[in-house]
């Protein structure tokens, strides 16, 4: 494969031809801020946050759409670059609601991070602000278009990851916004609430309803695990606060990348549902009575042993579970064969 | 699956049979959409005009239960037009003549009568499949013969072998598993005839190996009962005690009345689950299990990828992980079963299961591994049957079309089919209790074609009664041409629409899979 060598902030970097300056910088460990770029989505080049200085080029090119060339010299933090980035941030903040104190994305927001990094405060522009109503009418996603920075990632995620094309840019200039066709809420569109747009939104414009109202971003412990629903085996992170699962976020899964479906992303509520069984139950006179583990296990062991002794092992049968782990299925068949002494074990496989 | 999920995107011809992938496997459907964007041809065979059928280039709206006639007719065309992969067939397979003889009578014209698909469409699809560089077949329920393994759906496998569309990237035979760990439950030997890794209980060496590892004198040699046979035997009083872990057969299995009757006849029933399911309600003892978030373990997905489940929180209340409960019961019965962790159990599995031998929790920290993975230096297997089949040569197993056991008639004029909805899962035990999914999709409907509805004077949203020879349920009507005339459809996710009161438990003689896809019903106004 053809390669090119360029210099980024004094570092010599060799990359495959066709690599963007941004990717080359990342490979070399040089940080460049971005809003609209996402390695999984098509190049967009709209926010201009990733601009760099390349002597010989007019203006400051956006590094996410500029291909690295042989002998190219790149400055990622020159004075002009920093000035331009500050201006971009000031313009964004000028019509941003600035309710970070109560925003669910506080602490996981690129706008906050970069404003902090470049010391941009809000006074500079006191521009006109949007007053879009909060879209809060579905159980999964909250949309606050006042916070949208028009990076277009959700549009591309919906089209390119989800293959749905639910949301798109509409209107022009100051009125430009992201919306489903005919400017209806998601609930009135064909949206399947996969939340894959939420997963890529760099700010608080798209938020997971349950998660963001249950915990602040820094309060959660994230535990990577495998989805308990269909056989695809998507990976995600359980967000845990005070020993409770408060939400699900994407991580980089072997099978699914960051994509999830509505069940995986928003279907975790059963874990703490009040109907969960919390103690063994023994039926006495037709009614369930809570019992200790000792009593319940003792009773199960005695009953199964008695049936085996009186009627033989094949009078017992076991259903294992397509929803339990491999380890549990293994132990269940071991138990059935080695302890009960029968091969009558199956599970309700409806594929 | 013979292939990996991501390989679907690389196929240039996809035949999706009876899988509404966008609803039942949304993330897998993303790969189908990707393939389409890359220019692949998508053919969908499904009686309903599902979302994925809408995306397809060709939708074959076949009659319920006529898949084998269709597949045999495709083979017929491919043989008649001499477009089969002669090199593959001669070097990699055997019994081609048997296939040829069987499919001879399945001319496209003959199949048209059975499937309702025009002969020319069958020809076109057959040619497209045979001539594609990388053709893959996706399917779920409906035409299954064996529950597990990779040689399960013979008609599909015959076609794939005939065209050499197997054993290479993006080409294969790919059952999409409905439940998260069906693959794993099968791999682990939660089946009446095999130990882990499909090692047969009837083979003496296998019994000896497991008896030694498990420290018992002898293990039973006779294959056990399948779930359907268990219910029969319980009804007859031959099975007297049952232990059910994490399943809800009262809702998921056909002919619910019969299942309830069978379970009630038992002397003793213990059910272990996270909720008091309809099945648990019938138990003598209910043991509270931990959910997936409360325990360590592994699941094996539909592409044979073993992945970690990690404990994120402590079990709620006094619930315990299923594996710990099993150990407790075994120990109380006098067989000491004790493990310090799930990882230790996994190591025992690996030591007894050649296809899992190279996998360990330590390795899984770096990501999932697809079996077969015979040793710790092996990276796992992306797609199966690369240079040879497990048994050496691939064997053609010709199969004949058999009409569904229950056909519509004057009294029960509609075909009822059941399936899944995007927002729900299985018997709804979990998805009805999320605070989100059931809020968004809270009522179940029966899909009925507007022409049929008009004929019996049923309107949108009206409560109707659906009756079969076995039972009846009340449900709201949804008028939609997603279903063809003569067919009605609903899901089995909603306990209040316990559709399996109606379905037929007539079972396939080989795989013992019930005929959930087809039963005859009539529809009456509720009032
Ligand atoms: S939730 Fe999914 S379908 Fe809906 S807009 Fe977002 S990406 Fe598109
Ligand atoms: S909603 Fe979020 S992802 Fe979409 S354009 Fe606005 S800021 Fe970007
Ligand atoms: S997130 Fe959706 S597609 Fe992925 S495993 Fe879970 S249920 Fe299946
Ligand atoms: S990140 Fe490069 S233009 Fe937005």
């Amino acid at each position: 494969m053809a390669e090119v060598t360029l210099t980024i902030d004094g570092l010599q970097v060799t990359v495959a031809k066709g690599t963007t300056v941004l990717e080359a910088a990342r490979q070399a460990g040089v940080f460049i801020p971005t809003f609209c770029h996402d390695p999984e989505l098509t190049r967009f080049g709209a926010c201009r946050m990733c601009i760099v200085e390349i002597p010989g080029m007019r203006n400051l090119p956006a590094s996410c759409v500029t291909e690295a060339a042989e002998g190219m010299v790149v400055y990622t933090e020159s004075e002009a670059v920093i000035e331009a980035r500050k201006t971009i941030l000031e313009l964004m903040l000028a019509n941003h609601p600035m309710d970070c104190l109560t925003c669910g994305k506080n602490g996981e927001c690129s706008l906050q991070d970069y404003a902090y990094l470049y010391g941009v405060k809000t006074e500079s522009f006191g521009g006109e602000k949007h007053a879009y109503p909060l879209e809060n009418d579905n159980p999964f996603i909250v949309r606050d278009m006042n916070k949208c920075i028009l990076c277009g990632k959700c549009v591309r995620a919906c089209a390119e990851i989800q293959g749905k094309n639910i949301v798109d840019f509409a209107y022009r200039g100051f009125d430009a916004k992201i919306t489903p066709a005919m400017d209806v809420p998601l609930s009135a569109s064909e949206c399947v609430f996969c939340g894959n747009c939420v997963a890529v939104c760099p700010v608080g414009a798209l938020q997971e309803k349950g998660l963001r109202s249950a915990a602040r971003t820094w309060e959660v412990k994230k535990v990577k695990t495998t989805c308990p629903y269909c056989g695809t085996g998507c990976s995600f992170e359980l967000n845990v606060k005070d020993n409770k699962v408060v939400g699900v976020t994407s991580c980089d899964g072997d099978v699914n990348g960051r994509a999830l479906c509505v069940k995986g992303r928003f279907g975790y509520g059963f874990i703490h549902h009040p109907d969960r069984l919390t103690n063994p139950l023994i039926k006495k006179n037709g009614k369930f009575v809570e019992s200790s583990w000792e009593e319940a296990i003792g009773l199960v062991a005695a009953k199964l042993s008695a049936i085996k002794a009186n009627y033989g092992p094949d009078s017992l049968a076991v259903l294992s579970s397509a929803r339990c782990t491999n380890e549990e299925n293994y132990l269940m068949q071991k138990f059935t064969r080695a302890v009960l002494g029968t091969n009558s074990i199956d599970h309700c496989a409806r594929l | 699956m013979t292939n990996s999920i991501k390989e679907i995107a690389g196929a240039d011809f996809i035949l999706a049979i009876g899988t509404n992938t966008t609803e039942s496997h949304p993330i897998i459907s993303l790969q189908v959409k990707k393939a389409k964007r890359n220019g692949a041809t998508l053919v969908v065979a499904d009686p309903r005009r599902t979302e994925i059928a809408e995306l397809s280039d060709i939708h074959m709206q076949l009659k319920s239960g006529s898949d084998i006639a269709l597949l045999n007719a495709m083979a017929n065309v491919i043989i008649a037009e001499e477009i089969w992969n002669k090199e593959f067939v001669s070097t990699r397979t055997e019994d081609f003549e048997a296939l040829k003889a069987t499919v001879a009578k399945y001319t496209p014209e003959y199949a048209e009568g059975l499937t309702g698909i025009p002969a020319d469409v069958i020809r076109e699809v057959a040619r497209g499949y045979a001539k594609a560089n990388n053709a893959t077949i996706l399917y779920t329920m409906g035409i299954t013969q064996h529950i597990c393994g990779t040689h399960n759906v013979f008609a599909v496998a015959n076609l794939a072998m005939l065209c050499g569309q197997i054993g290479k990237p993006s080409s294969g035979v790919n059952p999409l598993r409905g439940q998260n760990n069906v693959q794993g439950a099968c791999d682990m030997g939660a089946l009446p005839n095999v130990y882990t890794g499909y090692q047969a209980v009837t083979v003496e060496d296998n019994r000896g190996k497991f008896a030694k590892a498990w420290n018992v004198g002898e293990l039973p040699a006779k294959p056990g009962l399948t779930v359907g046979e268990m219910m029969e035997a319980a009804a007859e009083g031959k099975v007297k005690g049952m232990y059910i872990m994490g399943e809800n057969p009262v809702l998921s299995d056909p002919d619910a009345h019969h299942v309830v009757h069978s379970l009630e006849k038992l002397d003793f029933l213990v059910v272990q689950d996270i909720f008091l399911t309809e099945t648990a309600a019938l138990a003598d003892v209910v043991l509270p299990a931990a959910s997936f978030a409360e325990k360590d373990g592994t699941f094996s997905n539909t592409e044979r990828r073993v992945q970690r489940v990690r404990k994120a929180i402590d079990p709620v209340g006094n619930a315990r992980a299923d594996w710990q409960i099993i150990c407790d019961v075994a120990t109380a019965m006098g067989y000491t079963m004790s493990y310090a962790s799930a990882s230790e159990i996994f190591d025992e599995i690996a030591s007894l299961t050649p296809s899992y031998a190279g996998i360990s929790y330590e390795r899984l920290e770096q990501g999932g591994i697809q079996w077969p993975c015979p040793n710790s230096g092996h990276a796992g297997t992306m797609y199966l049957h690369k240079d040879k089949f497990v048994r050496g040569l691939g064997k053609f197993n010709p199969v004949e079309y058999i009409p569904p056991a229950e056909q519509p008639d004057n009294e029960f004029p509609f075909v009822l089919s059941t399936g899944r909805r995007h927002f729900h899962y299985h018997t709804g035990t979990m998805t009805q209790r999320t605070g989100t999914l059931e809020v968004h999709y809270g009522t179940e409907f029966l899909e009925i074609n507007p022409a049929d509805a008009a004929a019996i004077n049923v309107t949108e949203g009206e409560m109707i009664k659906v009756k079969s020879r076995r039972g009846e349920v009340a449900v709201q009507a949804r008028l939609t041409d997603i279903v063809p005339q003569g067919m009605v459809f609903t899901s089995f996710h909603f306990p209040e629409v316990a559709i399996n009161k109606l379905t037929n438990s007539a079972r396939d003689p080989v795989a013992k899979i019930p005929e959930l896809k087809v039963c005859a019903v009539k529809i009456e106004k509720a009032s």
Side-chain angles (χ1 to χ4, degrees), chain A residues 305-321:
Chain A
S305 300
I307 292 173
K308 180 180 171 182
N310 291 336
Y311 304 100
D314 287 335
S315 62
L316 292 168
V318 173
L319 282 182
S320 198
S321 175

Side-chain angles (χ1 to χ4, degrees), chain B residues 241-372:
Chain B
M242 269 186 89
Y243 188 165
I244 300 180
M245 170 172 81
E247 295 275 16
N248 190 10
V250 169
L251 279 193
S252 65
D253 284 29
D255 202 353
H257 290 308
H258 179 66
V259 173
V260 171
H261 170 75
S262 302
L263 296 178
E264 278 174 342
K265 267 207 85 173
L266 292 169
D267 288 353
F268 184 70
L269 172 64
V270 51
V271 174
Q272 183 168 312
D273 212 316
I274 63 174
F275 291 111
L276 192 65
T277 60
E278 291 71 11
T279 303
L282 302 174
D284 298 291
V285 178
V286 180
L287 302 174
S291 78
F292 83 110
E294 298 148 40
K295 62 191 180 188
D296 285 313
T298 53
F299 290 149
S300 299
N301 78 351
T302 190
E303 55 168 7
R304 301 167 277 103
R305 187 184 298 274
V306 183
Q307 303 190 101
R308 274 300 310 277
V309 174
R310 292 186 182 83
K311 182 171 187 262
I313 55 170
D314 295 327
V316 302
N318 290 318
R320 286 184 189 171
D322 290 284
W323 64 267
Q324 282 166 328
I325 305 174
I326 300 166
C327 289
D328 294 344
V329 174
T331 305
M333 288 181 73
Y335 179 97
T336 309
M337 212 188 251
S338 140
Y339 299 89
S341 64
S343 167
E344 213 176 286
I345 307 172
F346 194 91
D347 291 342
E348 184 174 315
I349 296 167
S351 73
L352 291 165
T353 316
S355 54
Y356 277 66
I359 309 177
S360 64
Y361 273 34
E362 200 185 336
R363 285 191 74 191
L364 291 177
E365 281 307 306
Q366 314 310 312
I369 298 175
Q370 289 172 279
W371 67 259

